[in-house]
Amino acid sequence: MLEGKYRHRFHIQPPEGWLNDPNGSCWFDGKYHIFFQYTPDSPTGEGGRYWGHYVSEDLAHFTYVDTPIVTDTEWDSDGVYSGTAYTGDGVLEAYYTGNVKHPGDYDYINEGRGHNVLRVDFKDGIHPGEKQLLLTNDDYPSDLSCHVRDPKVWKSGEAYYMLLGMRSRTSKGGLLLMKSPDRKKWSLAREYFPENDFGYMLECPDYFTVDGRQFVGFCPQGMRHESDRFQNTYESGYCELNGDIIGSASDEELSRQISIECFQEWDKGFDFYAPQTFTTPDGRQILIGWAGVPDAGYENAPTIAEGWQHSMTLLRELKAKNGKLYQLPVRELDTRHEKQITAPEGGAWDMTLEFDNVSDAELFRLNDDLIFSVKDGRLRLEFLNDTGDGRTVRHAESSPVKKIRLIFDRSLLEIFVNDGETVFTTRYYPEDPDDVILKADNAKSLEGWTIV
C-alpha cells in the first residue's frame, strides 16, 4: 500500500493507481466482498481497467485481496467494466460488462464498440473460474446503440432477471430487462425508456427493496442542471416503484414513477457516483458509492501526487422514511471509534453537532477552507479557497436542521444532515489533515470520536 498524508484510515481506497465504480458488492461465505473498477498502473486512469477486490468480516475493517478479473479475452480486451454479483445459489457469480473497441474510423457510440455481458464464478469467494460469455450487442434490440452495460442480476419467483443501462441510437437513456431460466441463456423481457428527459444514457442500474418497498436506481448522463438539483456532470439517484419493473407495472405506470419529479438524488456533494446496494445477513440494505464523478471540472492533484486517486464512500445503511431513503454510516463503523473528543483530532474523526431546528445560520466551518450553512430551507456547501482543488458550491433543499454528523478521513468529508435525510460527499484537502479546526457557534452541542 502507498503512503501519504491524504491516504485514508477507514475508507476503501486503491493500493495504488486509480479506483472508480464499486462492483459485485455482496455477502458470501462468511465475508463481505467489495470489488471495484481498478487501474493500478496510473492515478489518472490510464492503462488497463480491471476489477480489484476487498473483503471484510465486519463492514468496518477491509483487506485488499488481489486483482481477480483482468482483460485477458477477446470479449473484454479494452476493459473490465462495471457489474454486480449474485450469490443465491451457493456460488459468488460476478456479472460484468466486457468493453471492446474495434479498430477503425468509428464514433464508438453507434458503431465500433462491443459491450458484452460476462460471468465469472468464484466458488470460494476468492479465486475466479473461467469466463463465460452471456450476451453481446447482437442480443439487444436493434434500436439501441453500442452502449448497453452494467448488469444487475436477481431472482424473482422461478426466473432470473438482469437489468442493464442503455443508450438508444437517437441518444435517449433507458433500461433493458433480460430474463433467464438458468442464468446462462437470456432473452429480452422489457425495453423501457422514461418519458421524461433523463439524458442520453442511464448507467449503473440497480433494483432493490428497503423496508418492503421497491426501488430502481440509475445514473443519468446528460441531464439539464438546476440550482439545487443535478449539479454535477452526471447524477446518481433512485425512484420508488409501486409495482415492479419485471412486468406487473405497465410502461404508463413506470413513466409516472420513473420521472424527474420522483427522482431522488443519493448525494448532493461534489463526489458521488455509480452506487450499488447489497443485503447483509440480518436483512439490512447497504449502499456504497464511488467518491468521485466522471468528467468533473475539478481535480484531485494532491492524491495524484501521492500516486493514487479516488476511494469509496462509507458503507451506508438505508431506511425508508418520509417518502425518501435516509442514509447513515453502518453501525459497525462505531467499532473503530477510539477516543472521545469535543473537537477534531488526529486527521480521522466522527463528530455529531446538535441544533435547535436551525433554518438560517452558518452551521459549521472547517479552518477558513469551507463553510456549511442553511438559509431559507436551502443548504449550502462552499469552498473558500483551493482546498477543494476546483470545487466551489453545492446546494440542497432541507428541512430545519436538527443534527449533523460530520465524518472526515484525511481527505474525504461526508456530511449527514438530519439523520441522513440529506448527504454531501466531497474531497477536502486541508494543508494539515491532523490540524483541522471545526467552528460551530450555532450548535448547542458537539461531541465525537477519533477513528482508527
Side-chain angles (χ1 to χ4, degrees), residues 52-212:
H53 186 193
Y54 274 91
V55 298
S56 172
E57 295 182 355
D58 61 3
L59 286 181
H61 302 82
F62 282 85
T63 301
Y64 177 71
V65 180
D66 60 8
T67 309
I69 308 180
V70 299
T71 54
D72 57 3
T73 74
E74 61 181 314
W75 310 318
D76 59 8
S77 56
D78 292 288
V80 178
Y81 278 23
S82 291
T84 189
Y86 177 78
T87 61
D89 287 352
V91 175
L92 196 168
E93 303 168 9
Y95 296 81
Y96 71 92
T97 297
N99 183 52
V100 178
K101 294 185 72 174
H102 301 293
D105 184 19
Y106 299 115
D107 64 2
Y108 296 107
I109 298 172
N110 290 323
E111 305 293 340
R113 184 186 296 273
H115 271 172
N116 307 307
V117 175
L118 283 79
R119 169 179 159 180
V120 179
D121 291 354
F122 294 73
K123 292 184 179 180
D124 63 356
I126 301 297
H127 301 97
E130 293 186 5
K131 295 178 179 179
Q132 307 166 52
L133 177 65
L134 302 181
L135 294 166
T136 73
N137 289 81
D138 292 337
D139 296 305
Y140 309 138
S142 60
D143 61 333
L144 301 187
S145 73
C146 300
H147 288 257
V148 182
R149 58 177 180 265
D150 309 336
K152 165 76 179 205
V153 175
W154 73 96
K155 184 178 184 181
S156 180
E158 296 302 314
Y160 300 91
Y161 293 89
M162 177 188 296
L163 189 63
L164 295 150
M166 63 184 185
R167 175 177 182 166
S168 75
R169 285 186 168 270
T170 57
S171 291
K172 182 174 177 61
L175 299 170
L176 187 69
L177 186 68
M178 308 295 286
K179 184 177 181 180
S180 172
D182 57 8
R183 305 190 308 287
K184 295 179 180 179
K185 296 180 180 179
W186 295 84
S187 59
L188 178 65
R190 187 171 206 162
E191 181 184 15
Y192 173 72
F193 291 99
E195 288 187 7
N196 281 161
D197 183 9
F198 275 102
Y200 58 81
M201 177 73 199
L202 302 188
E203 285 197 311
C204 305
D206 199 357
Y207 183 67
F208 58 96
T209 61
V210 178
D211 299 335

Side-chain angles (χ1 to χ4, degrees), residues 193-445:
F193 291 99
E195 288 187 7
N196 281 161
D197 183 9
F198 275 102
Y200 58 81
M201 177 73 199
L202 302 188
E203 285 197 311
C204 305
D206 199 357
Y207 183 67
F208 58 96
T209 61
V210 178
D211 299 335
R213 295 156 66 174
Q214 299 180 76
F215 298 86
V216 61
F218 50 90
C219 296
Q221 296 186 325
M223 293 184 70
R224 181 174 59 86
H225 302 299
E226 300 178 10
S227 60
D228 290 350
R229 304 179 73 198
F230 319 137
Q231 298 162 87
N232 286 335
T233 306
Y234 308 129
E235 320 305 335
S236 301
Y238 62 89
C239 296
E240 183 172 0
L241 302 179
N242 293 326
D244 62 50
I245 203 166
I246 292 172
S248 65
S250 66
D251 281 2
E252 182 180 358
E253 290 171 322
L254 285 182
S255 290
R256 287 195 295 270
Q257 298 165 37
I258 304 177
S259 65
I260 299 294
E261 293 75 23
C262 296
F263 186 73
Q264 301 273 359
E265 289 177 88
W266 287 113
D267 195 294
K268 294 291 190 172
F270 295 92
D271 295 276
F272 187 92
Y273 196 67
Q276 61 178 217
T277 60
F278 65 95
T279 307
T280 62
D282 60 4
R284 290 175 291 158
Q285 200 70 18
I286 306 300
L287 179 81
I288 184 171
W290 169 33
V293 175
D295 305 322
Y298 34 86
E299 304 292 340
N300 296 297
T303 63
I304 292 174
E306 295 180 350
W308 66 286
Q309 187 174 187
H310 299 307
S311 57
M312 297 302 175
T313 66
L314 289 169
L315 289 96
R316 303 171 181 178
E317 183 175 344
L318 301 179
K319 291 287 186 183
K321 182 180 177 182
N322 298 331
K324 66 182 298 184
L325 293 175
Y326 282 53
Q327 310 166 55
L328 280 176
V330 291
R331 63 196 70 163
E332 288 84 352
L333 179 65
D334 293 356
T335 66
R336 299 198 62 159
H337 287 171
E338 182 186 40
K339 175 185 174 183
Q340 195 161 13
I341 54 177
T342 56
E345 183 180 320
W349 37 265
D350 180 353
M351 305 292 298
T352 297
L353 290 66
E354 302 273 358
F355 298 87
D356 284 322
N357 291 330
V358 174
S359 57
D360 188 355
E362 179 180 305
L363 298 167
F364 70 82
R365 68 170 61 203
L366 298 179
N367 295 343
D368 288 319
D369 300 331
L370 64 85
I371 294 177
F372 194 67
S373 59
V374 61
K375 184 177 178 61
D376 298 328
R378 194 169 184 242
L379 295 165
R380 177 183 176 93
L381 172 64
E382 180 181 10
F383 279 91
L384 305 177
N385 54 31
D386 62 0
T387 55
D389 201 14
R391 292 160 182 80
T392 53
V393 177
R394 288 290 181 267
H395 298 100
E397 292 182 356
S398 175
S399 57
V401 177
K402 301 177 182 178
K403 182 190 292 186
I404 293 176
R405 188 172 176 185
L406 186 61
I407 300 178
F408 178 64
D409 190 0
R410 307 298 297 177
S411 58
L412 187 62
L413 183 67
E414 293 175 74
I415 306 167
F416 299 85
V417 181
N418 290 342
D419 291 320
E421 178 185 30
T422 306
V423 186
F424 288 77
T425 299
T426 184
R427 286 286 171 188
Y428 167 42
Y429 300 107
E431 183 176 351
D432 183 356
D434 292 310
D435 188 23
V436 174
I437 298 172
L438 170 62
K439 181 180 179 182
D441 292 343
N442 293 298
K444 66 179 183 180
S445 69

Side-chain angles (χ1 to χ4, degrees), residues 1-14:
M1 286 281 189
L2 293 175
E3 296 183 358
K5 75 174 182 178
Y6 292 117
R7 294 283 287 176
H8 300 315
R9 298 266 180 83
F10 53 92
H11 284 81
I12 292 174
Q13 60 194 342

